[in-house]
Amino acid sequence: MKPFLYYVAKDLIGRYGNNLSDVTIVFPGRRAQLYMNYFLSYFAQGPVWAPRFKPIDELFQQFSPYTPSDNILTVCRLYRIYAELAPHPETLDNFFSWGEILMNDFGDIDKHLADADKLFANTADLMALERTDYLNDSQIQALREFFAHFDPKEQSEIKQRFLEMWQIMQKMYHRMKADLKKDGMLYKGALYR
């Protein structure tokens, strides 16, 4: 079985011949461009005017009124929002790696056009389920076997801070986007959306 780009290159050469100078190909990243060039040269009869290649990120940036935000500054902005909302905020040093993960999660939510409000509501509901006292002993045992670290009666400090974070996640998501938009910027996933 041949790779997808093999068939794309074959089709392009069949349609346009060796002059692809007016063709723009959009890829999810830059790596595919190398393979496309290889397959184009495989099918071409002689020299080829290569097409323009554009990563999808650049395409979205081209049509968006917003500029992409810097990752480090974005996490610092997120920390400021987190520190305002969290009852017991961590230091920036402790938060930074969490902030990078959160920004990736926010980006995934936007790239996949997920309903953030429903997602965060469902997640908060799942987290609240772990804190319930209405489970009987056999149900708790079944959950303990399923979730190796599940113990609804034991609230460690780390687990408590994690739950506090989830309770403010929805507000952080919306405030972060509004804060960046106000300055004419967005993170990559929001640019996609």
Side-chain angles (χ1 to χ4, degrees):
M1 181 164 194
K2 307 265 191 240
F4 174 72
L5 293 179
Y6 171 93
Y7 296 106
V8 173
K10 183 177 181 180
D11 182 67
L12 286 171
I13 294 294
R15 286 182 196 213
Y16 301 102
N18 289 7
N19 186 0
L20 300 171
S21 62
D22 292 331
V23 175
T24 300
I25 301 173
V26 178
F27 286 120
R30 295 190 186 276
R31 184 179 304 144
Q33 177 180 339
L34 297 172
Y35 292 100
M36 179 56 82
N37 279 330
Y38 170 78
F39 289 124
L40 287 171
S41 67
Y42 177 80
F43 288 109
Q45 303 297 318
V48 176
W49 284 103
R52 284 183 301 271
F53 297 106
K54 187 173 287 242
I56 198 162
D57 293 352
E58 287 180 19
L59 181 70
F60 287 130
Q61 290 172 19
Q62 180 180 339
F63 293 107
S64 175
Y66 300 101
T67 58
S69 60
D70 175 77
N71 292 338
I72 293 172
L73 293 175
T74 302
V75 173
C76 291
R77 282 177 179 241
L78 183 63
Y79 175 75
R80 190 181 66 232
I81 293 167
Y82 158 77
E84 291 172 10
L85 296 172
H88 306 99
E90 298 285 335
T91 64
L92 176 59
D93 289 345
N94 291 337
F95 175 84
F96 199 87
S97 61
W98 275 98
E100 290 177 314
I101 293 168
L102 290 174
M103 289 311 305
N104 285 333
D105 290 345
F106 290 174
D108 287 343
I109 288 167
D110 289 328
K111 282 179 189 175
H112 298 291
L113 302 175
D115 184 330
D117 294 326
K118 286 182 182 177
L119 176 77
F120 291 128
N122 287 339
T123 306
D125 291 344
L126 288 172
M127 294 297 178
L129 180 64
E130 290 187 4
R131 297 189 309 255
T132 61
D133 293 329
Y134 59 82
L135 299 173
N136 66 38
D137 291 339
S138 65
Q139 291 169 324
I140 291 173
Q141 185 59 35
L143 287 171
R144 279 189 183 142
E145 290 171 11
F146 187 74
F147 300 104
H149 303 293
F150 179 80
D151 189 351
K153 294 179 181 159
E154 184 180 315
Q155 291 290 331
S156 70
E157 183 179 341
I158 293 172
K159 188 175 181 179
Q160 186 62 37
R161 290 195 187 271
F162 181 76
L163 292 172
E164 286 174 359
M165 174 78 80
W166 274 109
Q167 290 170 351
I168 62 172
M169 193 74 63
Q170 185 174 6
K171 288 180 183 174
M172 288 172 57
Y173 170 81
H174 289 297
R175 283 189 53 187
M176 184 67 201
K177 284 177 77 168
D179 188 48
L180 287 171
K181 275 185 176 181
K182 176 183 67 175
D183 292 335
M185 296 183 290
L186 283 175
Y187 52 89
K188 190 183 295 186
L191 277 172
Y192 277 40
R193 184 170 234 162

